């Protein structure tokens, strides 16, 4: 137990360091965590203490996988069904091209240029056809694009892209069996029933310290994840679907989503991103950098030249088009999953696996970094902020007193119904907008 706590403390300390670096450099924390993982693994390997990092321990792998599942769920929950329906042609076309172009190009390059056998080449195409929902969603959160139609469109296209990757991986390397049928049936039933169950539980038990909605979501995500692994699929796919299904209902409770986000980003995803960086064998990459560069150029080139004209039909502004294209050029979650699948099933060698993971990590960092530095469409964020109606501040003491009286009345009503579960963050924000001190409202409430 002492070793477990020591390793966990070490990894979270690395996450704190990554957060500080990300803040100073003004880039997404997910990218910094990956880079920190690569650097720490390289140093530990040089010192001969890599095994002490515990990256292969089951409990740490579970935390990392759970972080990826919850992050994927949150990405789905951020989507506005109405927006996606309105953008269906866009997200479908962009997502399909985003999958097909790098799959075909990277498979051909691996087979004809690098001399890999047909199975390894196809797996390379699958692993490098992905985009990274985890990285893209993290960037959307930090920039604020997750609240815009632009960002939601990118997330929708990412889903279509990764769905193509999962289907290709299943059709090419995991033949359909009765287990696949059981998994699909269970997912359909869970997805159909979940909105009604969540609505009922929220009405009866919601907003209490028991956090029953969060527990139910975890039951569903982990249960479907277990079925997915049993069927030879991956846990992140049903997680995204569950998030999309709840996007129009329970996920509209933004405070609940924020609490889930805090748990996910604050505790779970650092294990995922740090471990993703530690998977890279720096020795293999340094020993054959040309292979990595060729595969990297094949993927990013196919994404850019395939997607830029397509995205240009929907986004005419230069920064919007390039930011969209570069976000779709990322790769991490399904890329590492596909590469690890190939290694565990003997489709690729350890050296080929290291090349693929290095390229996947590179595409998670470099396109995102370029997009964040050079092509952020800030005018969309400004437009989103202007849609929020400004709060009118009280003009005089009479208005302030009236506002305080109203706040006091609300607090008295909450006390009368014994509602300690009501979060005070919204009230605090309102008090700040009204230029009131909480003590004023408390005093009015007590007097009432």
């Amino acid at each position: 137990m002492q070793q477990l706590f020591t390793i966990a403390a070490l990894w979270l300390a690395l996450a704190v360091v990554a957060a500080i670096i990300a803040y100073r450099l003004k880039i997404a924390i997910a990218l910094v965590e990956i880079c920190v993982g690569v650097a720490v693994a390289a140093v530990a390997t040089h010192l001969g203490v890599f095994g002490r990092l515990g990256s292969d321990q089951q409990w740490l792998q579970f935390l990392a996988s759970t972080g990826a599942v919850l992050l994927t769920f949150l990405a789905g929950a951020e989507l506005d069904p109405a927006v996606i329906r309105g953008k269906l042609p866009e997200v479908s076309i962009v997502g399909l091209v985003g999958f097909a172009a790098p799959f075909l190009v990277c498979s051909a390059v691996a087979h004809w240029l690098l001399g890999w056998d047909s199975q390894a080449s196809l797996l390379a195409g699958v692993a490098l056809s992905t985009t990274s929902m985890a990285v893209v969603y993290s960037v959307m959160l930090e920039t604020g694009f997750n609240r815009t139609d632009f960002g939601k469109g990118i997330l929708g296209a990412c889903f279509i892209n990764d769905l193509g990757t999962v289907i290709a991986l299943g059709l090419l390397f995991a033949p359909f069996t009765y287990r696949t049928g059981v998994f699909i049936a269970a997912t359909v039933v869970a997805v159909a029933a979940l909105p009604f169950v969540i609505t009922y539980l929220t009405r009866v038990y919601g907003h209490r310290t028991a956090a029953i909605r969060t527990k139910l979501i975890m039951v569903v995500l982990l249960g479907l994840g277990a079925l997915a692994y049993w069927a030879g699929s991956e846990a992140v796919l049903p997680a995204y679907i569950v998030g999309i299904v709840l996007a129009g209902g329970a996920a509209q409770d933004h405070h609940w989503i924020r609490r889930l986000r805090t748990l996910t980003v604050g505790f779970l995803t650092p294990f995922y991103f740090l471990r993703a960086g530690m998977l890279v064998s720096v020795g293999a990459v340094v020993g054959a950098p040309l292979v990595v560069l060729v595969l990297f150029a094949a993927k990013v080139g196919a994404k850019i030249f395939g997607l830029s004209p397509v995205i240009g039909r929907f986004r005419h502004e230069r920064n919007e088009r390039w930011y969209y294209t570069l976000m779709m050029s990322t790769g991490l979650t399904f890329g590492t999953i596909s590469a690890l699948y190939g290694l565990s099933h003997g489709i690729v060698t350890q050296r080929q696996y290291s090349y693929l993971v290095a390229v996947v990590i590179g595409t998670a960092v470099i396109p995102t970094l370029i997009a964040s530095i050079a092509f952020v469409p800030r005018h969309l964020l400004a437009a989103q902020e202007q849609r929020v109606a400004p709060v009118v501040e009280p003009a005089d003491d009479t208005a302030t007193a009236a506002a305080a009286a109203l706040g006091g009345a609300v607090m008295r009503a909450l006390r009368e119904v014994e509602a300690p579960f009501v979060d005070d963050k919204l009230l605090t924000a309102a008090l700040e907008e009204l230029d009131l001190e909480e003590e004023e409202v408390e005093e009015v409430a007590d007097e009432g």
Side-chain angles (χ1 to χ4, degrees), residues 47-370:
L47 297 176
V49 295
F50 180 79
R52 296 184 182 181
L53 295 175
S55 60
D56 291 329
Q57 294 196 17
Q58 288 290 319
W59 66 270
L60 198 147
Q61 293 183 38
F62 169 74
L63 289 179
S65 298
T66 304
V69 167
L70 269 176
L71 194 64
T72 306
F73 164 77
L74 288 170
E78 288 283 356
L79 298 180
D80 187 338
V83 173
I84 296 302
R85 281 194 295 269
K87 290 178 168 290
L88 192 58
E90 174 188 334
V91 299
S92 299
I93 294 173
V94 172
L96 289 174
V97 173
F99 159 72
F103 171 71
L104 295 174
V105 172
C106 292
S107 296
V109 167
H111 184 67
W112 298 107
L113 194 59
L114 301 180
W116 294 11
D117 63 59
S118 57
Q119 288 289 92
S121 299
L122 288 174
L123 189 118
V126 171
L128 300 181
S129 69
T130 67
T131 186
S132 175
M133 181 62 69
V135 170
V136 171
Y137 179 61
S138 295
V139 173
M140 295 294 107
L141 281 180
E142 293 195 29
T143 56
F145 282 123
N146 61 303
R147 301 188 302 271
T148 67
D149 291 351
F150 175 70
K152 292 172 182 178
I154 294 177
L155 291 173
C158 287
F159 170 69
I160 299 297
N161 191 147
D162 286 344
L163 182 62
T165 298
V166 171
I167 292 173
L169 184 65
L171 291 177
L172 292 173
F173 303 105
F176 189 94
T177 66
Y178 79 94
R179 293 187 176 190
T180 311
V182 172
F183 166 61
I184 293 175
T187 302
V188 170
V189 171
V191 165
L194 191 58
F196 302 101
V197 176
I198 285 287
T199 301
Y200 171 77
L201 292 178
T202 301
R203 186 175 67 251
V204 178
Y205 305 103
H207 305 293
R208 299 183 184 275
T209 55
I212 192 169
R213 285 181 299 178
T214 302
K215 292 174 182 175
L216 178 62
I217 289 297
M218 293 303 299
V219 168
V220 172
L221 294 179
L222 296 180
L224 290 178
L227 273 178
Y229 283 123
W230 176 71
S233 183
E234 290 298 334
V236 289
L237 180 59
Y240 194 79
I241 295 173
V242 170
I244 292 175
V245 168
L246 294 181
Q252 294 302 307
D253 185 344
H254 299 296
H255 177 57
W256 176 57
I257 291 296
R258 281 197 300 271
R259 285 186 294 172
L260 272 181
R261 191 183 298 156
T262 300
L263 168 67
T264 304
V265 178
F267 176 59
L268 295 172
T269 55
F271 290 98
Y272 173 73
F273 288 120
L274 287 168
R275 185 172 183 272
M278 291 182 186
L279 288 174
V280 177
S281 173
V282 177
V285 175
V286 172
L290 188 59
V291 175
V292 176
L293 289 175
V294 167
L295 290 174
F296 179 87
K299 173 184 174 167
V300 176
K303 288 274 191 180
I304 291 176
F305 289 107
L307 284 174
S308 186
V310 175
I311 293 174
R313 296 179 62 87
F314 302 99
R315 293 285 171 178
H316 304 293
E317 201 274 332
R318 172 179 172 272
N319 281 0
E320 293 178 26
R321 184 175 68 254
W322 276 105
Y323 191 87
Y324 200 150
T325 302
L326 289 169
M327 285 293 103
M328 292 295 297
S329 301
T330 60
L332 185 63
T333 312
F334 283 110
T336 54
I337 285 170
S338 300
L340 187 58
Y341 180 92
L343 178 65
S344 60
H345 289 78
I347 301 171
V348 294
T349 65
Q350 178 68 48
R351 184 170 292 274
Q352 289 171 330
Y353 168 79
S354 294
Y355 297 150
L356 291 175
V357 173
V359 174
V360 168
I361 300 298
T363 58
V365 175
I366 296 175
T368 310
L369 196 59
I370 295 173

